[in-house]
């Protein structure tokens, strides 16, 4: 993504995402899940491609989140489906931390801060 085809959005303060958990954020008509694992933050599309379940409240283990509805597992770094042959991945988004502010960069137009 480049600056002309993406937008950077403030989501929350870093302390609002507890270690080992995820939170859901709505950006326009899109839902984004932010996860904090070992002090790192990851942003994924917050919808399992199998049946539309939210991923933000799924358990985290070994760098992946598991969908609570049917057990599909997604890599936090690249969104790949780890346990279902031909399972569709979820979109991932870059996360930026500035001070205590957490931003996510999404496809779109311009920059919002």
């Amino acid at each position: 993504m480049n600056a002309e085809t993406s937008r950077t959005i403030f989501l929350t303060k870093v302390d609002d995402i507890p270690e080992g958990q995820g939170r859901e954020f709505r950006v326009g008509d899109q839902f984004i899940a932010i996860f904090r694992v070992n002090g790192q933050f990851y942003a994924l599309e917050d919808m399992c491609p199998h049946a539309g379940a939210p991923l933000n409240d799924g358990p985290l283990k070994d760098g992946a989140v598991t969908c609570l509805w049917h057990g599909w597992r997604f890599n936090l770094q690249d969104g790949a489906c780890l346990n279902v042959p031909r399972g569709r991945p979820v979109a991932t988004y870059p996360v930026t931390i500035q001070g205590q502010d957490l931003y996510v960069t999404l496809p779109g137009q311009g920059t919002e801060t």
Side-chain angles (χ1 to χ4, degrees), residues 14 97-102:
V14 295
I97 306 296
Q98 295 179 8
Q100 291 297 307
D101 296 340
L102 187 144

Side-chain angles (χ1 to χ4, degrees), residues 1 21 39-40 53 68 76-77 79 100 106 109 111:
M1 276 186 272
Q21 294 185 27
Q40 297 292 315
L68 291 174
L76 293 174
Q77 291 186 16
Q100 291 297 307
L106 303 173
Q109 294 285 326
T111 300

Side-chain angles (χ1 to χ4, degrees), residues 17-108:
I17 314 275
E19 177 65 38
Q21 294 185 27
R23 293 286 185 267
E24 178 184 75
F25 296 88
R26 185 175 185 159
V27 179
D29 62 354
Q30 191 170 9
F31 291 94
I32 307 296
I34 303 292
F35 299 95
R36 185 178 195 170
V37 178
N38 297 323
Q40 297 292 315
F41 292 90
Y42 303 92
L44 278 71
E45 173 184 12
D46 193 24
M47 185 175 70
C48 180
H50 172 236
L55 296 174
N56 72 86
D57 55 357
L60 299 167
K61 184 177 180 184
D62 298 330
V65 61
T66 301
C67 176
L68 291 174
W69 287 9
H70 302 106
W72 284 35
R73 295 184 67 235
F74 299 93
N75 183 297
L76 293 174
Q77 291 186 16
D78 63 11
C81 185
L82 299 174
N83 65 330
V84 176
R86 294 181 293 210
R88 290 190 340 240
V90 293
T92 60
Y93 309 102
V95 173
T96 305
I97 306 296
Q98 295 179 8
Q100 291 297 307
D101 296 340
L102 187 144
Y103 296 84
V104 65
T105 301
L106 303 173

